[in-house]
Amino acid sequence: MANSRCGAVLSTFSFLIAFKSPQMPLDAQKSLLRTKVRDLRRAAWRDGGAASAVRLKDNFTAAMAAMDFPPPGAAVAGYWAAGGEMDLGPLLAHLDGAGYACALPVVAARRAPLVFRRWRPEMELIEGPLGIGQPGPEAAELRPRVVLCPLLAFDGEGFRLGQGGGYYDRALGALRAAGPVAAVGIAFAVQQVEAVPRDRRDQRLDWAVTEQGAIRFGIQDNGLKQDLSPRP
């Protein structure tokens, strides 16, 4: 399936990892790929993470019209970066200033369902069970219209590889069952791979945005503008 690119859009991603081993069990494939891409992600952050975060914010805002992004007032879920993840700080501050209700994921306990609570730039976060900052229980719970997803790897079909806990796959599945929601992968360009090992539980992304541009994946029932161009 062809991908459609727009905004500050990539003609090609700068790095592809060939990863195909059908004889290896799926969990082993995922584990090996996580190890490889985690190192690349840390190196990308070390080599210019702060500047990349600003470029990502610019690329995201340039692509919002093509996404037919919901108007200010809509809830948008981000994340609090850890372990070399792309920093969403500049983008979340921009969205908050534009009138969006920004939220961060909250984990009450390991393996508990992921929820999203209201976040503001001046908010003091608490440490969650996974060691990541999150809003406290007094913050309002929101149902996001758009979820900005952290990831270790993504491919040209919109499949993502996370840390292995399944939090985002379960959350996206529940949100999509209740109504339209779009999933936007946030990453460094070096995190794109040739193919992400996956099964039926893995939720697809609608878009990915990196410091190099934005890419849209096919047609999905997410409520954002659809790519209706002829398919080969």
Side-chain angles (χ1 to χ4, degrees), residues 1-6 13 60 63 66-69 144-149 151 154-160 172-173 175-176 179-186 202-209 214-227 231:
M1 180 179 291
N3 293 330
S4 176
R5 296 171 172 82
C6 46
F13 281 91
F60 190 99
M67 293 180 187
D68 198 17
F69 208 76
R145 177 65 185 74
V146 180
V147 179
L148 310 180
C149 302
L151 53 85
F154 69 99
D155 65 20
E157 295 187 59
F159 288 99
R160 67 178 284 276
L172 288 172
L175 288 169
R176 284 170 165 164
V181 63
V184 182
I186 302 295
D202 295 314
Q203 293 283 319
R204 288 180 66 188
L205 301 169
D206 300 291
W207 286 74
V209 182
I215 182 170
R216 173 170 49 192
F217 304 110
I219 300 174
Q220 296 193 50
D221 184 16
N222 53 51
L224 293 190
K225 182 179 290 185
Q226 303 295 315
D227 179 4
R231 297 296 179 186

Side-chain angles (χ1 to χ4, degrees), residues 7-92:
V9 182
L10 308 181
S11 57
T12 58
F13 281 91
S14 64
F15 190 88
L16 292 175
I17 303 170
F19 188 83
K20 293 182 178 179
S21 182
Q23 292 78 29
M24 188 183 297
L26 181 65
D27 287 347
Q29 291 183 48
K30 289 186 174 184
S31 180
L32 179 58
L33 185 55
R34 285 188 183 100
T35 298
K36 292 182 176 180
V37 184
R38 192 176 283 117
D39 290 341
L40 290 171
R41 189 179 68 177
R42 288 196 185 102
W45 172 251
R46 184 177 60 247
D47 294 342
S52 292
V54 174
R55 291 196 297 272
L56 179 134
K57 183 263 293 182
D58 293 341
N59 292 336
F60 190 99
T61 55
M64 286 173 70
M67 293 180 187
D68 198 17
F69 208 76
V76 178
Y79 61 85
W80 198 251
E85 292 172 338
M86 176 69 80
D87 182 10
L88 268 185
L91 176 57
L92 288 178

Side-chain angles (χ1 to χ4, degrees), residues 81-171:
E85 292 172 338
M86 176 69 80
D87 182 10
L88 268 185
L91 176 57
L92 288 178
H94 172 82
L95 293 173
D96 177 81
Y100 289 92
C102 294
L104 293 180
V106 171
V107 177
R110 286 183 179 273
R111 310 301 298 178
L114 197 66
V115 298
F116 299 94
R117 293 191 180 277
R118 185 73 163 92
W119 169 87
R120 292 179 174 84
E122 70 278 5
M123 178 180 288
E124 184 174 345
L125 302 179
I126 64 173
E127 184 175 300
L130 304 181
I132 300 172
Q134 59 185 40
E138 71 283 355
E141 184 175 339
L142 302 179
R143 182 191 182 279
R145 177 65 185 74
V146 180
V147 179
L148 310 180
C149 302
L151 53 85
L152 282 168
F154 69 99
D155 65 20
E157 295 187 59
F159 288 99
R160 67 178 284 276
L161 180 72
Q163 298 283 2
Y167 290 99
Y168 275 87
D169 288 319
R170 292 192 297 273

